[in-house]
């Protein structure tokens, strides 16, 4: 019998007690379990069938414990080692040195003490003299290898490598995004085997000086992990860091508006900070960036709150970030608000979820707004004007552009067309803001085509048919622009009155539009939204 067979313990008092006990009492090696899944072997002193002091080795999981055991055979005090593979396939060894306590009702083995995480070359990747860990047993049997321990509670430890999580659980331990070398001092809280809340990462210099370089926020209870984000400490970076092996797209923003600190190649998102939004992260998807580098939509994350909205392009050029378009807001994964915005102000019929109440539809009226209510007769008049213009063109080609043309007939066709494009705009067009400029642009574009047309060489029936289709295409484009302009102004007016625009009836209605209704159904279900609309209509009468 060798007194050193119990292993080396860092705690000198514990080591002396164990060595004295081991030398005084005979040790034995016993195979406690042997099967296809591996063996469990104990070497040391036993009390009946229960280990008391010694080393318990689990061959299948490459885990072992050396020290004292409790009355049920579970680790009580000593050193436990476990091995797992990281995302690179390298085996890492977790060593826990301290006290263990088994909770039979929860089937959990809890640990308090020092830990060291090392790689296959015995290089330390993370360590701390004080830490808390927990392992969840599948059954209350000490012969079962304890599942891989996970951090629990408030932690502060030194980390030397940015990513140390197991390959099959990449979020088990905090990963550092900042592409700088360590060591790092990580201060975080862990719950249910995952980091939670706000985590702080400091970089430690060779002089011992430490400074904050990164913060992260976790809440894995949220759907799709919406509020798991990270940001680099303001003032600690000078350029955008590329996370992953790619080339970031061009992003052009006013410098005084946001400070971009990273581009994540995997998610395709830029991450930025704004001085007026402390402890918040702005996420800009590359799919929302146009060829000029300007972005059209942004997501803002602040702890459990997430807002997403279309950006006011005019305000962005002035260095102001405000919504113009659809605005959505979530509170810990639950939809809290959904509405349309006009230059930063809520308009139309939207959804509001109060913290202590049920969701409801709400009318957002824009005070001091100008404009006129949508008119079905005006809409019909504009449609009639564009239809008559198209018919007039058809009649000109039918009367003067049939077949192949000689020089005289070609001149007659050109003259009739030029005269048609000199007609003044109808009153209905003049009364619609912006419609007159569309009308004049259509006239100019059509006259330019007539001027460029090689009348001397292209007078065949096929050539004249091509000219006709080209002019009708310009008219069709003008008609669509006029329709969109009229609908946009009607939509804007209705929303400014706290209502929605009904394009079928061409009137304002006090009900959610299609976009808001779909968002409501996705968040609360069809039945709940129908009840919300009925309640909204009754309260508005």
């Amino acid at each position: 019998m060798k007194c050193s067979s119990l292993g080396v313990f860092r705690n000198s008092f514990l080591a002396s007690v164990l060595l004295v006990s081991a030398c005084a009492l005979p040790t034995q090696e016993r195979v406690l379990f042997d099967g296809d899944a591996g063996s469990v072997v104990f070497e040391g002193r036993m009390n009946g069938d229960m280990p008391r002091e010694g080393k318990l080795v689990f061959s299948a999981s490459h885990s072992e414990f050396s020290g004292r055991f409790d009355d049920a055979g579970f680790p009580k005090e000593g050193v436990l080692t476990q091995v797992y593979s990281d995302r690179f396939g390298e085996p890492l060894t977790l060593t826990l040195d301290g006290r263990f306590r088994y909770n039979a009702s929860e089937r959990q083995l809890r640990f308090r003490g020092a830990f060291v995480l090392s790689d296959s070359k015995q290089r330390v990747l993370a360590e701390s003299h004080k830490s808390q860990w927990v392992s969840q047993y599948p059954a209350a049997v000490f012969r079962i290898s304890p599942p891989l321990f996970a951090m629990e509670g408030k932690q502060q430890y030194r980390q030397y490598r940015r990513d140390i999580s197991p390959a099959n659980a990449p979020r088990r331990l905090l990963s550092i995004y900042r592409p700088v070398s360590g060591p790092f001092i990580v201060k975080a809280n862990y719950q249910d085997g995952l980091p939670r809340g706000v985590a702080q990462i400091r970089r430690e210099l060779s002089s011992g000086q430490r400074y904050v370089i990164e913060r992260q926020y976790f809440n894995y209870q949220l759907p799709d992990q919406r509020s798991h984000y990270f940001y680099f400490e303001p003032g600690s970076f000078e350029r955008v860091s590329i996370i992953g092996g790619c080339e970031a797209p061009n992003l052009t923003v006013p410098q005084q508006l946001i400070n971009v600190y990273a581009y994540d190649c995997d998610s395709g998102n830029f991450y930025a900070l704004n001085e007026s939004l402390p402890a918040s992260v702005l996420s800009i998807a590359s799919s929302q960036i146009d060829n000029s580098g300007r972005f059209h939509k942004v997501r803002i994350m602040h702890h459990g709150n997430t807002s997403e909205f279309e950006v006011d392009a005019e305000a962005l050029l002035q260095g102001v970030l405000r919504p113009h378009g659809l605005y959505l807001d979530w509170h810990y994964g639950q939809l809290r608000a959904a509405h349309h915005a006009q230059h930063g102000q809520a308009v139309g019929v939207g959804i509001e979820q109060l913290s202590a109440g049920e969701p409801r539809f709400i009318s957002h009226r824009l005070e001091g707004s100008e404009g006129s209510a949508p008119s079905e007769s005006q809409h019909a008049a504009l449609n009639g004007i564009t239809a008559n213009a198209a018919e007039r063109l058809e009649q000109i080609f039918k009367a003067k552009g049939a077949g192949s043309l000689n020089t005289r007939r070609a001149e007659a066709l050109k003259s009739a067309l030029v005269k048609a494009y000199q007609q003044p705009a109808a009153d209905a067009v003049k009364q619609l803001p912006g419609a007159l400029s569309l009308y004049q642009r259509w006239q100019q574009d059509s006259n330019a085509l007539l001027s460029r047309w090689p009348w001397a060489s292209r007078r065949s029936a096929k050539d004249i048919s091509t000219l006709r289709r080209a002019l009708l295409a310009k008219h069709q484009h003008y008609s669509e622009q006029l329709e969109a302009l009229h609908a946009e102004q009607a939509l804007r007016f209705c929303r400014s009155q706290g209502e929605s625009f009904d394009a079928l009836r061409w009137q304002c209605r006090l009900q959610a539009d299609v976009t808001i209704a779909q968002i409501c159904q996705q968040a609360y279900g069809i039945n709940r939204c129908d009840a919300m609309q009925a309640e909204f209509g009754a309260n508005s009468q």
Side-chain angles (χ1 to χ4, degrees), residues 33-275:
F33 177 80
D34 192 9
D36 295 337
S39 62
V40 179
V41 178
F42 174 75
E43 180 182 355
R45 186 168 64 90
M46 299 190 69
N47 183 8
D49 293 332
M50 294 295 179
R52 299 300 297 172
E53 297 177 6
K55 181 168 68 174
L56 189 61
V57 179
F58 304 91
S59 63
S61 62
H62 304 286
S63 300
E64 65 177 59
F65 172 75
S66 296
R68 295 166 52 196
F69 298 81
D70 65 12
D71 293 339
F74 292 94
K76 182 178 182 180
E77 188 173 10
V79 179
L80 184 144
T81 60
Q82 295 183 307
V83 178
Y84 66 85
S85 296
D86 65 6
R87 66 187 182 94
F88 304 104
E90 181 182 8
L92 305 184
T93 300
L94 174 64
T95 302
L96 304 179
D97 185 353
R99 296 181 178 274
F100 297 83
R101 181 173 59 84
Y102 181 72
N103 186 315
S105 62
E106 298 178 352
R107 299 199 305 273
Q108 289 183 342
L109 181 62
R110 294 185 173 274
F111 166 80
R112 284 179 178 270
F115 88 91
V116 175
L117 182 65
S118 56
D119 64 10
S120 57
K121 297 181 180 179
Q122 303 303 312
R123 292 175 298 193
V124 176
L125 305 181
E127 62 181 348
S128 176
H129 294 298
K130 295 181 180 179
S131 65
Q132 302 175 60
W133 299 72
V134 64
S135 177
Q136 181 70 54
Y137 277 74
V141 180
F142 76 89
R143 297 181 183 87
I144 297 176
S145 174
L148 184 63
F149 273 76
M151 279 191 172
E152 186 74 2
K154 294 181 179 180
Q155 308 280 351
Q156 180 169 310
Y157 54 92
R158 181 177 281 102
Q159 185 168 325
Y160 296 87
R161 200 177 76 179
R162 302 209 314 270
D163 187 1
I164 57 176
S165 288
N168 60 356
R171 300 186 184 275
R172 174 71 68 89
L173 296 168
L174 184 144
S175 295
I176 299 168
Y177 292 92
R178 190 74 176 269
V180 295
S181 59
F184 310 98
I185 304 299
V186 177
K187 187 176 182 180
N189 185 55
Y190 283 79
Q191 181 182 338
D192 298 330
L194 294 170
R196 291 290 174 89
V198 179
Q200 180 195 82
I201 298 108
R202 290 176 291 170
R203 189 184 185 192
E204 188 174 46
L205 303 180
S206 57
S207 62
Q209 182 183 1
R210 301 172 179 177
Y211 66 98
V212 179
I213 62 168
E214 183 178 329
R215 297 179 193 266
Q216 298 184 19
Y217 177 79
F218 302 86
N219 194 321
Y220 290 98
Q221 294 174 324
L222 299 180
D224 303 322
Q225 300 171 3
R226 280 189 182 276
S227 285
H228 171 207
Y229 62 83
F230 67 95
Y231 65 90
F232 298 166
E233 190 70 4
S236 69
F237 59 91
E238 295 180 353
R239 59 186 177 85
V240 178
S241 296
I242 307 299
I243 302 174
C246 71
E247 183 176 346
N250 178 44
L251 176 63
T252 303
V253 293
Q255 192 66 31
Q256 71 274 18
L257 177 61
I258 62 175
N259 198 351
V260 180
Y261 61 87
Y263 178 75
D264 189 340
C265 298
D266 291 338
S267 65
N269 290 331
F270 280 99
Y271 297 107
L273 304 176
N274 182 295
E275 290 185 358

